[in-house]
Amino acid sequence: MITVINLIATLMMFYSFLVFIYIFMSWVPNLKESSFGQMVGRLVEPYLTPFRNIIPPLGMIDISPIVALLVLNFARQGLFVIAGWF
């Protein structure tokens, strides 16, 4: 059981790295239009969309990815708490 929780937590950590990469890709012109950018976008956008629907952009700054990363981190920490019960 703990191995499964550790695997899920590791996958969540890698997914948070993908979200970071996607955020930084917005700073580089034309990187989101590349094949790598489109692949990362297909993986990350379904997770970010609900947060963007709830949290509107503040001018030119979109803080929804930051909130999405915080939620992902809290969920990962919650898995470790659950792992401590076993």
Side-chain angles (χ1 to χ4, degrees):
M1 182 67 172
I2 292 177
T3 306
V4 173
I5 291 175
N6 284 335
L7 176 67
I8 293 171
T10 303
L11 290 173
M12 290 171 86
M13 182 184 64
F14 285 128
Y15 194 75
S16 65
F17 288 147
L18 266 179
V19 174
F20 271 121
I21 290 169
Y22 189 70
I23 292 168
F24 290 128
M25 280 181 9
S26 68
W27 296 351
V28 179
N30 298 326
L31 191 56
K32 282 189 178 180
E33 286 78 27
S34 68
S35 60
F36 175 74
Q38 290 177 356
M39 179 191 68
V40 172
R42 281 193 305 263
L43 291 172
V44 172
E45 277 297 327
Y47 178 67
L48 292 179
T49 301
F51 293 99
R52 287 192 176 132
N53 291 337
I54 295 170
I55 304 166
L58 301 173
M60 300 263 316
I61 299 173
D62 184 15
I63 63 167
S64 60
I66 297 169
V67 175
L69 283 172
L70 286 173
V71 168
L72 193 60
N73 190 28
F74 287 143
R76 188 167 165 259
Q77 289 177 0
L79 279 176
F80 289 130
V81 169
I82 291 171
W85 293 343
F86 293 105

